[in-house]
Amino acid sequence: MAKSLKNPDRGIASMPAADPKVAPESWQIQSAKARFSEVFRRARTEGPQRITRQGKEGVVMVAEEQYARLVGKSHQPKSLVQFFRQSPLVGVDLDLQRDRNPGRDTDLT
């Protein structure tokens, strides 16, 4: 029943995670379950970790800070009008009166 521990990286498709253009490291679901703490640690230190089932379906485990950045970008207002309506400055009384002084007199002759 017990799996052999001769090859501790069995079930992991190793890829460098430093380059953001490179796909995240990939784990088979069985290996990810058995080594959850390691997957968790690598997600925090090395970057996103992909978990697949039978090489098809998948999820990606990312550090909370990275998730917050991704979610934050998706919650930006859809239009300029929406941006101003959601502004923390809504309701602030601004004095928008302009000085009607035309400036200085000039002699063009």
Side-chain angles (χ1 to χ4, degrees):
M1 280 194 225
K3 292 184 178 180
S4 171
L5 295 178
K6 289 180 184 176
N7 184 359
D9 287 332
R10 192 171 81 189
I12 304 172
S14 182
M15 296 180 186
D19 186 353
K21 295 176 186 171
V22 176
E25 188 158 358
S26 185
W27 298 75
Q28 293 176 8
I29 194 167
Q30 299 86 351
S31 298
K33 281 184 196 179
R35 297 169 63 190
F36 182 79
S37 293
E38 183 179 352
V39 177
F40 180 90
R41 180 186 56 76
R42 286 188 181 190
R44 302 267 320 141
T45 59
E46 299 175 15
Q49 303 292 305
R50 180 183 310 262
I51 303 169
T52 62
R53 183 184 313 180
Q54 298 176 351
K56 297 177 184 172
E57 304 168 359
V59 297
V60 177
M61 181 185 290
V62 296
E64 187 172 0
E65 296 83 11
Q66 188 173 5
Y67 175 75
R69 281 193 308 270
L70 293 170
V71 171
K73 289 181 181 178
S74 69
H75 283 57
Q76 291 183 357
K78 304 288 183 215
S79 69
L80 187 59
V81 172
Q82 186 181 15
F83 170 78
F84 284 116
R85 285 183 179 153
Q86 294 175 349
S87 169
L89 299 176
V90 169
V92 172
D93 188 27
L94 298 175
D95 180 17
L96 300 176
Q97 292 294 324
R98 225 179 128 189
D99 184 12
R100 297 291 180 193
N101 184 352
R104 61 180 180 225
D105 292 331
T106 56
D107 185 19
L108 299 176
T109 57

